Amino acid sequence: MSVVQITNVNILEPESHFLAPYKFEITFECLSPLEDGNVSVLDLEFKLVYVGSADNTTLDQELDSLLVGPVPVGVNKFVFEAEAPKVDKIPNEDIVGVTVILLSCSYKEKEFVRIGYYVDNLYIDEELQANTPEVPVLDKIFRRILADKPRVTRFPINWDDPHR
Amino acid sequence: MRISKPEWLRHDADKKKLTAIFSVDFHPSGTRLATGGMDNKIRIWNTVAITQAQAQAQAETPRLLSTLTSHSGAVLCVRFSHGQGQYLASGADDMVVLIWEKDHEAALGNMQGEGTETWRPLRRLTGHESDVCDLAWSPGNRYLATCGLDNVIFIWDARTFERLHKLTAHTQFVKGLAFDPAGRFLASQSDDKTLRIWRTSDWTLHATIGGPFEDNIFSTYFRRPSWSPDGDCVAAANAANGKVPVAAVISRDTWAADLSFVGHRAAIEAVRFNPSVFAPPTDAAARATVCAAGGQDRGVSVWLTSQHMPITAATGLFSGNIMDLAWHTHTQDSPTSASASDNVVALLAACSYDGTVALLEFTQEELGTPIAAEEQEAMLIKHGWTGSKPTSEQQRAEGPVLVESVSQVRLEDQGAVLSKVPRQSRIAQIMGGLLADGDKILSEPQDRTSAEPKDPQPVATAMPVPVRTKDGKKRVAPVFVRSLGSVTNILEPRAPETRAPEPRAQAAGSLVVPVSAERQPVDAPLWIEARALGTRQPRNSSGGKSHAVTLGPQSLIHSQSISAARVHLTAPRVLTQLTHQRNGARLIAYNQLHSSRLVSTTQPAAAAPAGAAAAPSGGHSWSKHLSCAIVALATNDRVTAVGGSDGSLHWFDAQSGARLAPALMGEAHAAHLVVNHKFCLLLDCVGQLTVWDVEAMRALVDHVSIAPLLYTAELSRPSLPVAPSTDGDGDEQRPPKRHKPTVALTAVDVGAEGAPLVSFSDGRSYTYHERLKTWVRVACPTDHQASDHYVRLPPATPLAVVGATVQAHRRTTDTPLGYLQELGARQFEATARANATAASSFSVAAVAKLDAAAKTSVTLDHLEHLLRSSTAIGSSADVIKHADLLARYLAKSNDQERVKYWLSDLLGPPLAKGLLPEDVQWDGQMASVPKRQLLERMLPILAANNRRLQSLVTEYAEALDKLR
């Protein structure tokens, strides 16, 4: 069983401007101390990845990563804030539409949980909706994170020695 | 800046005495200025005549354009609609809101003979039950909001003028309104010292801001707030910083009052932002908003949000308080710009109780340049502004189909997003494949807990900010919320023979499973006998001799966790046969050493001999085999619960035998297992109590230890030890150094609402309060002995041993709490008699000395305690019974404040204004009885028993009537 369980992710601004930062309030439970023989306490690493294009894995962007620690045994929470994706790394035709962000957590560089959310990038302006411009008008694009539809994938890792 | 105060701009042309002007507003074009006065009239003035000196000189320029006379009370607010300014809305003392429109046909002037334009009332909006203090048009003129001294806000459709919503959260006069320019929120300000933010999407309360108004001691005619044109903040009138009156600037993101406009010497009645965003004179690239404030010190201050000081503070303008403010900005396309002289960019009008209006003209050098409308609109996009374009003509004709619920909106949004996901795409793959298949999607999310934001508030506490580590990574220390579980902490209390407490540093974080090496010396664990309880005892319905025998040694089901724990309930023995009967259904467990068979029949069949292979006959019967011995059984007509010798717990559907859950694994074996309704209660051998809602698959009470109750019982026992209620059965197998408690568990049950009930042989009963997260005592025979309702047994009552029949009795009685009291009294008497102590009679003697007033007071407290206890155990019948009794004693006590408290608590917001705390989280029910229904019962009792309460009673009776 995983020593760390994410118990709640509260997306603080699920509906926002496309270029607004992403904010997650993450609550997790730690069941036993995160430590090994030499280093006293180890951190968890949270990452947010934006899937830039459905067709090309290399266009995935790591929006930010955050070390969380020291982690006491018990229930803890923190806010993870990440910048919006770099627009110049996304193909124009992929900016508007549905994509996915992946919130992942690793311990000793081994990912043990990954939560995916749909993100819908859209124009609210009706005219732009009807005639979507080829070159996206960035400041008119909004994003909507489907907070209700997370996809949680857990990976079993060896918590004492993840590399074994 | 130029200030003018036209002498002719007044509301009482004929009379000598000036009449107060309560409200002022500019037409969006800036050509007209509307004022509303105490003379019940609205006047519309020609702005050009005011601002242009030469025009003023020319008598031909009409000054007064129209006088609107339909109100029959003082006009408290006038507001032009946005955009073309087609409508003027006004609210008045006569409780009516009027919508006016200029009549273009009536070129001949109006019938009043005053002015040159005709404005006719188009609609008359009724519904307010008192003065209408303020109103506001939403951006795009979709809604009109009105508020007044009846504490409510009405939302009207600004096209059809139908009433759409009534917002009632304010508990006192509502005196100001402002729409968010992005159209998402409405702000309202009230004498209840709050500013409330309402969502325009579903008209629910989004935030309540009380902080800036807490210190406020000033009363004002109005509290007119204003939203900044960039949407970033809302300025609130009549706030206070200590004793200093200020206008609070509340930021949109956090709803915190980060800034205040300080400097006014008396309360601020109104604040108003200029509707344009400016590029300040000092820095053309920067953006600033302009806000004016005015109030009871009769001065006007004007603030540029890019500066710390007001750009102007005009004092001595008026001899009366300022009531309202209005702005107009000359933009390039506005008709007034051509006539504006001396690069005047903005006009501010202020009206006063003294009956005059002052106009302040601001130049470009003072405020800067208003930015283009497009840019300003773009600033709102981040706040969710979706454009001011009117809907298409077709939509307008048909009327939009209104979304009727929030969930509808959410579902529509989800559907819209998911429909865009292409089949087989990588995105679909990441999110679990098969996306186009709708049903699949809905069942796909694995972890509901991570999906549901349990905390609707954004972030309640300030979160630590990440810091950079040496290698450039961001790092943050998480906020510690709580330690794991509650089990380990509760089991820490020491035995009554106190020793020096030993520090247990690990306790808070250590895991539930005790490691014996760490917890080796268990000096004085409490063992508790629960012999009196029937669930575990083999019972043979045929009335013959039980042929159940103990299988194997008791150590069979002893585990490490049991020996390490501090509380032990008698470990269940494995018997060859276990029977449980209820409502005609019969459940028999046949045990082998490591397996068992469970047979359920609905008809009482003859007891099948142990080990009989044939299934009993009968229509509804089922049987199953388990790979462990059965030590505990409980059933009703819905749920069958079975506790196994391996510590497992199984749930089956009582009718069909279908399994309801995988085997639940606990720390220790079931000592007591109870089912009632859809709830299953488990008290395990280490004294942890859990209640599940089997149908909802949810724990209501989660491994709560009964240890605190045992320790309390030990401490409060009489000095003479009570004879232990048990013989030495099985004693020889226990560890020698055991501390034997003097109280025994007499009943464990779960109420119809899922509240656990635990009764002890000292007469006390407890329930675990799900929300308070603690045990609460619901019956205690040593409390309230002077109460008239203290249950005392007649001396001759036979002291039958209660025990096993408790549950059955408790459920057959209508009022379980009453039964528990009687039970408690019985046990208390029994204890007292058995020990020949004078405890009981002593208290009786003490009680006799109390005078009548003291007795009433004790009884009142007792009844309140009973009413609260009834609520805690979720017994409606007890709630009603005790509410009636309480009403009688409240009347008898003549304690006005106490009566008022109960009536207000039962009436609840918003009608119990001022009597309940503003932020009260009113729960409208006690057990499952609506509080207002209780109020309805109690009022006649109060009225009948004490006429001195009649003013109170009538007041609440009327309030209650209003709700119907």
Side-chain angles (χ1 to χ4, degrees):
Chain A
M1 187 169 100
S2 177
V3 171
V4 171
Q5 311 255 19
I6 296 186
T7 53
N8 190 28
V9 177
N10 191 5
I11 302 180
L12 296 181
E13 283 155 21
E15 295 186 28
S16 187
H17 194 261
F18 179 70
L19 296 172
Y22 290 79
K23 286 180 197 166
F24 302 87
E25 188 194 41
I26 299 169
T27 310
F28 65 92
E29 224 172 39
C30 177
L31 301 179
S32 58
L34 300 180
E35 53 196 359
D36 64 11
N38 310 321
V39 189
S40 57
V41 181
L42 296 175
D43 288 349
L44 297 170
E45 183 168 18
F46 284 80
K47 265 185 201 156
L48 187 67
V49 171
Y50 184 90
V51 175
S53 167
D55 309 313
N56 190 341
T57 342
T58 59
L59 294 177
D60 287 3
Q61 290 186 37
E62 189 188 299
L63 299 186
D64 211 343
S65 72
L66 179 67
L67 295 171
V68 175
V71 177
V73 171
V75 180
N76 301 282
K77 70 174 172 183
F78 67 99
V79 170
F80 183 18
E81 185 169 337
E83 288 303 314
K86 300 271 180 300
V87 183
D88 49 358
K89 291 184 186 159
I90 308 173
N92 270 345
E93 65 273 18
D94 282 324
I95 289 183
V96 172
V98 177
T99 184
V100 164
I101 47 168
L102 297 168
L103 176 67
S104 75
C105 185
S106 317
Y107 177 61
K108 290 193 190 172
E109 292 166 7
K110 286 282 176 189
E111 186 180 18
F112 65 90
V113 65
R114 179 188 292 178
I115 306 173
Y117 291 97
Y118 287 113
V119 181
D120 187 12
N121 296 315
L122 72 170
Y123 290 106
I124 290 185
D125 190 309
E126 281 173 30
E127 204 174 1
L128 288 168
Q129 267 177 11
N131 319 298
T132 307
E134 274 189 28
V135 179
V137 186
L138 288 176
D139 49 8
K140 302 254 173 163
I141 302 179
F142 287 78
R143 69 138 192 266
R144 184 188 284 151
I145 306 173
L146 276 203
D148 288 356
K149 296 241 171 293
R151 170 78 190 187
V152 181
T153 317
R154 297 198 172 85
F155 308 96
I157 63 169
N158 186 328
W159 284 83
D160 298 319
D161 182 4
H163 295 283
R164 200 162 60 202
Chain B
M1 185 178 68
R2 194 172 75 104
I3 301 176
S4 53
K5 240 183 118 178
E7 200 192 281
W8 43 264
L9 208 170
R10 49 200 281 178
H11 262 246
D12 46 335
D14 308 325
K15 294 171 215 155
K16 293 257 163 72
K17 196 169 168 289
L18 291 161
T19 44
I21 297 178
F22 288 117
S23 185
V24 63
D25 198 34
F26 276 105
H27 188 269
S29 70
T31 52
R32 292 172 183 82
L33 179 74
T35 53
M38 184 122 81
D39 59 351
N40 307 353
K41 288 175 186 160
I42 301 161
R43 286 170 191 248
I44 296 179
W45 308 88
N46 187 350
T47 320
V48 178
I50 307 167
T51 51
Q52 286 193 306
Q54 66 269 43
Q56 218 166 347
Q58 294 165 0
E60 300 91 73
T61 310
R63 292 164 170 173
L64 178 64
L65 299 175
S66 192
T67 302
L68 287 58
T69 55
S70 295
H71 276 294
S72 60
V75 180
L76 301 180
C77 52
V78 288
R79 293 288 183 265
F80 282 102
S81 60
H82 299 292
Q84 302 297 309
Q86 188 186 3
Y87 301 121
L88 172 71
S90 61
D93 263 359
D94 58 1
M95 311 182 210
V96 170
V97 175
L98 290 176
I99 309 295
W100 305 80
E101 197 178 26
K102 189 174 168 230
D103 190 345
H104 297 280
E105 258 74 63
L108 296 173
N110 71 14
M111 307 310 285
Q112 312 292 319
E114 281 183 31
T116 56
E117 287 180 352
T118 304
W119 287 72
R120 293 197 189 287
L122 179 77
R123 289 298 184 106
R124 184 170 182 271
L125 311 183
T126 56
H128 278 290
E129 292 173 4
S130 190
D131 308 2
V132 181
C133 279
D134 204 358
L135 48 80
W137 298 86
S138 77
N141 294 330
R142 188 160 170 213
Y143 301 110
L144 173 69
T146 61
C147 69
L149 303 189
D150 53 359
N151 304 356
V152 304
I153 301 161
F154 284 120
I155 307 297
W156 314 79
D157 185 324
R159 289 194 284 266
T160 62
F161 296 106
E162 279 166 15
R163 196 161 85 200
L164 301 176
H165 296 280
K166 179 182 183 180
L167 314 180
T168 56
H170 280 294
T171 56
Q172 292 191 51
F173 301 160
V174 190
K175 292 185 166 175
L177 293 171
F179 268 103
D180 158 26
R184 299 282 294 276
F185 300 110
L186 169 71
S188 64
Q189 246 196 292
S190 158
D191 274 359
D192 65 14
K193 296 189 179 178
T194 59
L195 180 134
R196 290 178 199 257
I197 306 289
W198 308 82
R199 274 192 290 271
T200 59
S201 52
D202 54 2
W203 297 107
T204 52
L205 190 59
H206 182 77
T208 302
I209 297 112
F213 313 104
E214 265 166 23
D215 297 332
N216 174 298
I217 48 160
F218 315 101
S219 63
T220 46
Y221 270 83
F222 302 105
R223 293 165 183 261
R224 306 195 202 264
S226 181
W227 214 297
S228 70
D230 56 4
D232 285 346
C233 55
V234 56
N238 200 5
N241 192 345
K243 285 182 177 169
V244 181
V246 299
V249 181
I250 293 156
S251 111
R252 182 195 192 101
D253 296 327
T254 57
W255 305 119
D258 300 323
L259 294 169
S260 305
F261 296 143
V262 187
H264 280 273
R265 283 171 285 109
I268 291 166
E269 295 267 2
V271 287
R272 197 88 182 259
F273 272 100
N274 185 300
S276 295
V277 178
F278 284 82
T282 48
D283 180 5
R287 295 292 174 257
T289 53
V290 182
C291 188
Q296 295 179 349
D297 64 0
R298 300 162 189 188
V300 177
S301 61
V302 177
W303 304 74
L304 202 57
T305 49
S306 59
Q307 296 178 11
H308 292 295
M309 299 288 286
I311 54 172
T312 188
T315 53
L317 289 174
F318 299 108
S319 57
N321 297 347
I322 292 170
M323 297 279 124
D324 201 359
L325 299 160
W327 280 99
H328 173 68
T329 310
H330 297 302
T331 49
Q332 281 150 2
D333 48 1
S334 85
T336 51
S337 61
S339 57
S341 53
D342 309 318
N343 57 26
V344 167
V345 288
L347 261 180
L348 171 67
C351 66
S352 161
Y353 194 81
D354 68 10
T356 61
V357 173
L359 281 110
L360 291 79
E361 292 176 74
F362 294 90
T363 62
Q364 209 161 356
E365 287 76 21
E366 291 167 293
L367 297 184
T369 323
I371 64 168
E374 290 78 9
E375 190 191 334
Q376 194 173 325
E377 206 166 299
M379 295 174 90
L380 294 173
I381 286 175
K382 64 177 181 291
H383 297 313
W385 175 239
T386 53
S388 59
K389 277 176 225 154
T391 49
S392 69
E393 284 308 309
Q394 195 194 355
Q395 262 183 320
R396 185 182 283 243
E398 290 173 1
V401 180
L402 289 177
V403 173
E404 281 163 8
S405 70
V406 192
S407 57
Q408 171 70 19
V409 175
R410 219 187 53 219
L411 290 173
E412 281 180 9
D413 287 350
Q414 283 178 8
V417 172
L418 294 176
S419 66
K420 292 186 199 169
V421 180
R423 252 174 230 262
Q424 313 296 336
S425 76
R426 181 168 150 251
I427 287 173
Q429 237 168 33
I430 296 172
M431 295 298 280
L434 294 176
L435 270 164
D437 185 347
D439 292 342
K440 195 78 180 175
I441 292 161
L442 289 175
S443 59
E444 216 32 59
Q446 296 285 303
D447 191 348
R448 292 299 302 168
T449 56
S450 66
E452 285 163 12
K454 284 165 192 150
D455 182 4
Q457 300 299 324
V459 194
T461 49
M463 284 290 178
V465 178
V467 293
R468 292 274 171 192
T469 59
K470 270 176 254 162
D471 49 0
K473 285 194 161 180
K474 282 204 285 185
R475 181 172 192 243
V476 70
V479 175
F480 186 72
V481 179
R482 60 177 170 82
S483 57
L484 296 164
S486 51
V487 183
T488 43
N489 297 338
I490 288 177
L491 283 176
E492 286 310 315
R494 306 289 169 313
E497 293 79 4
T498 46
R499 296 177 297 153
E502 18 175 297
R504 274 182 180 267
Q506 290 170 309
S510 65
L511 273 171
V512 178
V513 180
V515 181
S516 54
E518 282 177 13
R519 294 204 180 192
Q520 199 96 64
V522 182
D523 289 340
L526 271 174
W527 290 72
I528 178 151
E529 285 299 332
R531 291 280 319 261
L533 219 80
T535 47
R536 222 167 20 77
Q537 302 285 7
R539 263 180 288 145
N540 199 322
S541 61
S542 63
K545 236 171 67 182
S546 167
H547 38 75
V549 293
T550 305
L551 265 179
Q554 201 181 10
S555 58
L556 179 69
I557 53 168
H558 254 266
S559 72
Q560 218 172 32
S561 65
I562 291 180
S563 49
R566 290 251 164 178
V567 173
H568 302 252
L569 302 187
T570 312
R573 284 159 298 173
V574 181
L575 304 167
T576 50
Q577 186 184 336
L578 216 56
T579 309
H580 189 95
Q581 198 159 5
R582 187 174 185 97
N583 300 343
R586 184 147 171 249
L587 203 58
I588 309 171
Y590 303 99
N591 279 331
Q592 304 292 324
L593 198 54
H594 292 293
S595 67
S596 58
R597 193 159 70 87
L598 184 65
V599 176
S600 165
T601 47
T602 44
Q603 293 144 10
S617 59
H620 304 285
S621 67
W622 48 266
S623 73
K624 36 188 76 220
H625 292 269
L626 295 173
S627 57
C628 57
I630 292 174
V631 296
L633 267 187
T635 191
N636 62 1
D637 48 5
R638 290 165 90 155
V639 180
T640 294
V642 174
S645 59
D646 56 357
S648 59
L649 177 64
H650 307 261
W651 290 334
F652 304 107
D653 176 57
Q655 302 300 329
S656 63
R659 182 175 274 278
L660 298 175
L664 282 75
M665 295 305 297
E667 186 179 345
H669 311 91
H672 304 291
L673 195 58
V674 186
V675 293
N676 183 17
H677 194 53
K678 57 177 179 174
F679 301 103
C680 174
L681 177 148
L682 170 76
L683 180 59
D684 66 16
C685 291
V686 293
Q688 293 178 32
L689 186 141
T690 307
V691 176
W692 291 278
D693 179 345
V694 177
E695 279 168 22
M697 284 286 163
R698 194 164 70 86
L700 301 175
V701 176
D702 180 10
H703 289 89
V704 170
S705 173
I706 63 165
L709 308 181
L710 293 172
Y711 288 115
T712 318
E714 286 302 300
L715 291 172
S716 60
R717 74 190 150 145
S719 49
L720 276 174
V722 178
S725 62
T726 170
D727 56 10
D729 188 342
D731 260 348
E732 64 281 353
Q733 290 177 23
R734 295 181 190 162
K737 281 170 84 181
R738 180 174 317 134
H739 172 77
K740 199 152 195 176
T742 51
V743 292
L745 206 57
T746 52
V748 177
D749 202 359
V750 57
E753 309 263 1
L757 273 171
V758 181
S759 299
F760 291 95
S761 60
D762 60 358
R764 291 180 171 86
S765 294
Y766 304 85
T767 186
Y768 188 80
H769 201 289
E770 196 188 325
R771 275 173 298 169
L772 292 179
K773 300 261 178 272
T774 185
W775 289 99
V776 294
R777 193 169 67 199
V778 295
C780 175
T782 53
D783 266 355
H784 303 113
Q785 294 199 26
S787 163
D788 294 350
H789 285 274
Y790 180 71
V791 178
R792 195 164 282 113
L793 299 173
T797 313
L799 297 168
V801 175
V802 269
T805 54
V806 166
Q807 280 172 30
H809 275 243
R810 205 188 68 72
R811 285 189 195 154
T812 49
T813 173
D814 290 337
T815 52
L817 188 65
Y819 182 74
L820 284 177
Q821 276 183 281
E822 192 191 321
L823 174 67
R826 222 174 257 270
Q827 281 162 340
F828 184 64
E829 286 281 309
T831 312
R833 285 188 207 178
N835 295 300
T837 57
S840 173
S841 48
F842 170 76
S843 340
V844 171
V847 166
K849 284 185 202 153
L850 292 171
D851 60 15
K855 275 190 92 165
T856 308
S857 151
V858 171
T859 308
L860 204 54
D861 186 49
H862 186 215
L863 289 170
E864 285 175 348
H865 193 268
L866 286 171
L867 185 54
R868 294 296 189 200
S869 301
S870 313
T871 313
I873 65 170
S875 161
S876 308
D878 276 309
V879 165
I880 291 172
K881 174 183 157 192
H882 293 120
D884 289 359
L885 288 171
L886 178 64
R888 204 161 299 151
Y889 274 85
L890 280 172
K892 200 170 164 184
S893 73
N894 196 31
D895 185 343
Q896 297 263 357
E897 284 305 310
R898 195 100 154 234
V899 174
K900 213 189 234 172
Y901 168 81
W902 276 103
L903 295 183
S904 307
D905 180 51
L906 294 176
L907 181 64
L911 292 177
K913 54 188 170 198
L915 297 168
L916 294 167
E918 285 164 16
D919 53 350
V920 69
Q921 296 265 321
W922 192 65
D923 180 2
Q925 292 193 329
M926 297 185 92
S928 53
V929 189
K931 280 186 175 174
R932 286 175 181 156
Q933 190 185 319
L934 288 178
L935 181 61
E936 214 171 315
R937 293 179 71 97
M938 286 172 76
L939 285 172
I941 301 175
L942 287 168
N945 286 291
N946 190 343
R947 194 156 286 170
R948 270 175 293 181
L949 298 171
Q950 65 177 315
S951 65
L952 259 180
V953 169
T954 343
E955 182 189 326
Y956 282 90
E958 277 168 13
L960 197 57
D961 274 340
K962 265 190 205 167
L963 289 167
R964 293 213 197 93

